[in-house]
Amino acid sequence: VSPRVVTASIDGTAQVWSVDGKKELLLQGDTSPIWKAAFTLDGSRIITESEGGTLRVWQADGARHALVLHGN
């Protein structure tokens, strides 16, 4: 597996990029700006945190919908 980078965006999406700059995956589903996005240590999932207090756990290959956790 080649190295990848995940970015967060104020448009409520996160994007996965190859290190040579090609977009590999667009993660959509949040209506608030996403402030943080990171891969899990094993690289199998991506965690995003939105301004609205929502955490989403995504499959890093985009195969399934995100698990959504709502904060108070």
Side-chain angles (χ1 to χ4, degrees):
V1 177
S2 62
R4 300 182 302 164
V5 175
V6 62
T7 58
S9 179
I10 62 170
D11 70 359
T13 65
Q15 296 183 44
V16 177
W17 305 84
S18 64
V19 292
D20 62 359
K22 295 179 184 167
K23 187 184 337 179
E24 294 186 357
L25 184 62
L26 176 66
L27 302 172
Q28 297 176 297
D30 216 312
T31 57
S32 298
I34 295 178
W35 297 125
K36 298 176 185 176
F39 284 98
T40 56
L41 291 177
D42 67 1
S44 67
R45 291 179 179 80
I46 296 167
I47 311 290
T48 59
E49 178 186 358
S50 75
E51 179 181 70
T54 301
L55 292 176
R56 292 179 190 267
V57 182
W58 310 82
Q59 290 294 118
D61 62 3
R64 293 190 296 209
H65 293 290
L67 169 67
V68 181
L69 304 167
H70 298 281
N72 292 331

